Amino acid sequence: MERNGGGEGRVPLRQQLEAAPKQTRRGGGGFVLASARASLGVCFLLVPALLLLQRWQAGPVPVWIFDTPPEGDGRDMKDDIADDLSPSAQIEYDKLLGGLLIEGFDERSCRSRYQFARYHRNAARVPSAYLIERLRRQEALQKKCGPGTKSYNKALKQLSSGQSINTTDCNYLFLIIHAGLGNRMLEITSAFLYALLTDRILLVDRYKEIADIFCEPFPETSWLISSDFPLNYDEFTQSSPESYGNMLREKVIGGNTYRSLVGARPPFVYLYLDGNYGFHDKLFYCEDDQQFLKGVPWLIMRTDMYFVPSLFLIPSYQDELSRLFPEKDTVFHHLARYLFHPTNDIWYSVTAYYKAYLAKADKRVGVQIRIYETKGILQRNGPFPHILEQILSCAQNEKLLPEIGATAEAAAVTAGKNQTIAVLTTSLSSWYSDQIRKRYSEHQTVDGTTVKVYQPSHEEYQKSKNKKHNMKALAEIYLLSMTDVLITSGFSTFGYAAQGLAGKTPWILFRSTNHVAPDPACGRGMSIEPCFHNAPFYDCKAKRDNVDLGKVVPYVRRCEDVSWGLKIVNQTQL
């Protein structure tokens, strides 16, 4: 309690210790003196034990997930970010993210939920009142119909029996998780928005380590599919007869204008929406098909993409989406901040690393490096000197990093800004950060700025099925989102997730061809939204393929990093 004030009239502990023997001597009792000393000894033993107990009461001791331990203990904080054990109510920041979140969750079991805002103070995008209202309605629906409820148990029984008529007032969207971490965040966000638009309960695969990396997003319920789910969904493939595309292809579902069934409505439909999906699978994004799917109690979805831009092209959803997101390019930004809260081990590593290496800098630059060269499987991450030069060219030409001048040995006193820039790099390879660090350590910058380069991990290869690998990846996404400016690699879902959480428009490194760096090296993104890499180009109304859907509405455009993809932009940015 004294840390927060209220102890001004108390005698310091050292003075109490010095005074105690004198007071007992006046009484002439040696036994009293010994008792006082014994009591003080017990106090000294109890104090650290009580402090440790206080930490343990917060939950299990957090585990550091990176290979190199952080320097120091994070207490010397330039930005006055308090220790993670302090109650968040004592800190002035918008922990509820403008109303996206609600009070009532246990802060100690998931620290990131209410502490996220401490490290993202500059993001000014405000969620709409209508989005907040709809999130509260969705939470009530998830609680009413989620795992363990009577409605859920009834729905499972109906699904097991193969009943074709929905006897409950709860409809479900179950998302099969299978891709890398960046893709997972994009696909979950897309599925959640679709559930929001169609009044469905979102459930996700419980066997893909989701609970190890993310806290539960909904109050008083779980978003994990129950272990007694009756379908062997891991066996579903693109060619499964239950897939919507196959049902259309085999004319189980017919009709030129309005979809109709030859037989009874199925108890569930499997939606195959992976990047290699076929023509009939893509009809999911048509108005008539959406009207048909409304009556199916269970939709089981497999996707590895951010399909939100195509939802904006479905007429029946356009008005609702405009109300939810008046700023069109904030879909992922708001929904990801609502849905994703790293578990305590990950959050501890994120905040400890930030405090040790990034907090004291005057400026933080995030550089996310993803290599797409195909020069042999053992060399797919490099080293590729042309990519190193592309990164430096982008950073220096766009004034994100200072240019390099004379060598450190030859330079005299350099008059300049006397500032420090911390560069956070993320890559499967350490070579690029090592080279950038070497350049700036061996040479002075032209303006006197000190540049320090850090990289939390380098896994060499992507291991999307490895839990610790995914924990490191999520930690690095959140660290990138805490930087002031971002350089990302085009086509990378990892970078998309970081820029969306940050609410910052990145500079995008364009993909090189024939091992030659592009000119220009990078360009500013059109928005903070991810790109839908494999968007369909079928005009549902005209029933015509190969139509440029990036010209249908002013807020859906072709991506700057993937020419065949679609992304959402703000009309004011055009």
Side-chain angles (χ1 to χ4, degrees):
M1 296 297 293
E2 288 184 359
R3 184 175 62 181
N4 299 322
E8 295 177 357
R10 300 178 183 176
V11 178
L13 180 59
R14 182 175 178 181
Q15 293 183 22
Q16 294 182 40
L17 293 175
E18 292 174 348
K22 297 177 183 178
Q23 292 169 357
T24 53
R25 285 193 195 98
R26 290 192 189 102
F31 177 79
V32 177
L33 174 62
S35 298
R37 287 174 174 169
S39 299
L40 288 169
V42 171
C43 288
F44 281 129
L45 290 173
L46 284 176
V47 168
L50 290 171
L51 290 175
L52 182 60
L53 178 61
Q54 182 185 12
R55 289 176 179 265
W56 284 356
Q57 285 175 342
V61 178
V63 177
W64 177 254
I65 63 174
F66 295 128
D67 298 329
T68 305
E71 296 177 355
D73 60 4
R75 294 177 186 172
D76 184 18
M77 297 299 297
K78 179 176 181 178
D79 53 359
D80 296 321
I81 296 175
D83 181 80
D84 285 343
L85 286 175
S86 60
S88 58
Q90 298 176 6
I91 302 164
E92 294 183 3
Y93 62 94
D94 181 16
K95 71 174 187 177
L96 301 182
L97 303 177
L100 288 177
L101 308 182
I102 61 171
E103 297 274 11
F105 285 94
D106 177 18
E107 293 191 34
R108 294 184 180 275
S109 65
C110 182
R111 298 187 180 281
S112 64
R113 190 188 316 273
Y114 296 135
Q115 292 181 3
F116 176 89
R118 296 187 193 180
Y119 303 87
H120 299 80
R121 295 177 181 176
N122 296 328
R125 306 295 186 105
V126 179
S128 69
Y130 184 63
L131 172 60
I132 294 170
E133 175 190 333
R134 289 291 285 110
L135 290 176
R136 302 293 88 85
R137 281 169 50 188
Q138 184 68 24
E139 289 165 356
L141 187 64
Q142 296 276 156
K143 181 181 177 181
K144 173 187 174 184
C145 302
T149 62
K150 290 183 179 179
S151 296
Y152 180 80
N153 294 335
K154 188 175 182 180
L156 282 192
K157 185 176 180 180
Q158 172 186 311
L159 185 61
S160 300
S161 66
Q163 294 180 26
S164 60
I165 299 176
N166 188 6
T167 58
T168 76
D169 53 355
C170 301
N171 291 325
Y172 296 87
L173 173 63
F174 171 38
L175 180 65
I176 300 173
I177 305 294
H178 70 99
L181 184 65
N183 292 77
R184 290 185 190 188
M185 295 178 73
L186 269 57
E187 67 191 55
I188 291 173
T189 303
S190 302
F192 177 66
L193 179 59
Y194 182 68
L196 204 67
L197 292 171
T198 57
D199 294 315
R200 291 182 178 271
I201 295 87
L202 174 67
L203 299 172
V204 298
D205 195 342
R206 68 181 300 111
Y207 299 108
K208 295 300 186 292
E209 301 168 349
I210 293 298
D212 294 319
I213 58 178
F214 295 120
C215 305
E216 292 275 1
F218 307 121
E220 301 180 67
T221 187
S222 176
W223 67 341
L224 301 177
I225 196 76
S226 60
S227 57
D228 60 345
F229 188 70
L231 302 180
N232 295 321
Y233 54 87
D234 279 340
E235 298 178 2
F236 290 168
T237 66
Q238 186 177 11
S239 59
S240 296
E242 299 91 349
S243 81
Y244 188 64
N246 275 333
M247 294 173 76
L248 290 174
R249 186 165 36 250
E250 300 300 324
K251 303 189 184 307
V252 176
I253 302 172
N256 292 326
T257 305
Y258 300 102
R259 297 297 181 203
S260 59
L261 274 171
V262 175
R265 188 178 297 275
F268 75 94
V269 168
Y270 172 52
L271 302 170
Y272 185 86
L273 301 176
D274 267 358
N276 63 342
Y277 58 167
F279 171 77
H280 290 91
D281 300 312
K282 296 176 183 179
L283 295 179
F284 166 81
Y285 299 108
C286 291
E287 180 69 51
D288 294 341
D289 299 83
Q290 284 300 310
Q291 294 303 317
F292 170 79
L293 291 170
K294 280 184 178 179
V296 180
W298 284 87
L299 297 181
I300 301 173
M301 179 183 290
R302 176 188 169 106
T303 183
D304 57 2
M305 295 182 293
Y306 184 73
F307 58 77
V308 169
S310 286
L311 296 180
F312 274 78
L313 298 178
I314 299 174
S316 60
Y317 298 148
Q318 288 174 342
D319 288 343
E320 180 78 354
L321 286 167
S322 293
R323 293 184 66 193
L324 290 168
F325 304 102
E327 288 185 279
K328 297 289 194 298
D329 69 337
T330 59
V331 178
F332 184 83
H333 177 66
H334 291 317
L335 296 188
R337 287 174 164 221
Y338 172 78
L339 288 170
F340 303 124
H341 311 289
T343 51
N344 281 352
D345 284 349
I346 299 172
W347 189 245
Y348 163 74
S349 299
V350 169
T351 55
Y353 196 95
Y354 179 89
K355 293 174 182 180
Y357 300 113
L358 305 180
K360 299 176 185 179
D362 298 289
K363 178 181 178 182
R364 288 159 286 273
V365 177
V367 182
Q368 182 262 327
I369 306 168
R370 181 65 188 266
I371 308 301
Y372 294 99
E373 301 289 343
T374 57
K375 186 181 176 182
I377 189 168
L378 296 178
Q379 295 178 305
R380 59 185 173 184
N381 292 317
F384 294 110
H386 68 280
I387 291 180
L388 172 65
E389 297 307 321
Q390 180 185 3
I391 296 168
L392 288 170
S393 176
C394 172
Q396 293 172 356
N397 290 345
E398 300 298 337
K399 309 302 181 185
L400 307 180
L401 289 178
E403 295 184 5
I404 294 172
T407 61
E409 291 78 6
V413 178
T414 304
K417 299 178 181 178
N418 195 27
Q419 292 185 337
T420 298
I421 296 178
V423 179
L424 176 77
T425 60
T426 64
S427 173
L428 292 172
S429 169
S430 63
W431 184 80
Y432 302 96
S433 63
D434 290 342
Q435 292 300 309
I436 297 171
R437 184 183 302 109
K438 184 179 179 181
R439 296 272 184 103
Y440 279 101
S441 64
E442 292 181 351
H443 300 80
Q444 287 278 12
T445 57
V446 294
D447 61 359
T449 299
T450 300
V451 176
K452 296 184 177 181
V453 182
Y454 306 102
Q455 181 169 341
S457 71
H458 50 92
E459 298 284 276
E460 302 304 329
Y461 301 101
Q462 185 169 348
K463 310 164 190 174
S464 58
K465 296 182 179 180
N466 181 284
K467 182 175 78 171
K468 189 170 184 180
H469 176 88
N470 287 329
M471 293 174 74
K472 290 179 181 179
L474 184 62
E476 291 185 354
I477 286 174
Y478 273 80
L479 280 168
L480 283 171
S481 76
M482 294 173 180
T483 59
D484 300 310
V485 292
L486 269 173
I487 299 173
T488 63
S489 298
F491 203 81
S492 173
T493 57
F494 195 99
Y496 295 161
Q499 73 194 38
L501 286 167
K504 292 181 172 66
T505 306
W507 278 265
I508 301 173
L509 295 168
F510 300 125
R511 294 178 68 171
S512 60
T513 55
N514 299 321
H515 305 295
V516 176
D519 185 18
C522 63
R524 196 75 189 271
M526 290 187 291
S527 75
I528 62 175
E529 277 286 291
C531 175
F532 182 5
H533 287 169
N534 292 88
F537 284 91
Y538 178 74
D539 187 329
C540 301
K541 188 174 182 180
K543 300 193 181 304
R544 195 158 46 91
D545 206 358
N546 297 318
V547 175
D548 188 354
L549 298 184
K551 297 180 178 179
V552 175
V553 293
Y555 44 83
V556 176
R557 288 285 182 263
R558 290 206 180 213
C559 307
E560 56 274 85
D561 57 333
V562 184
S563 61
W564 57 91
L566 294 177
K567 75 181 300 182
I568 302 168
V569 300
N570 262 343
Q571 291 172 261
T572 56
Q573 296 172 323
L574 300 176

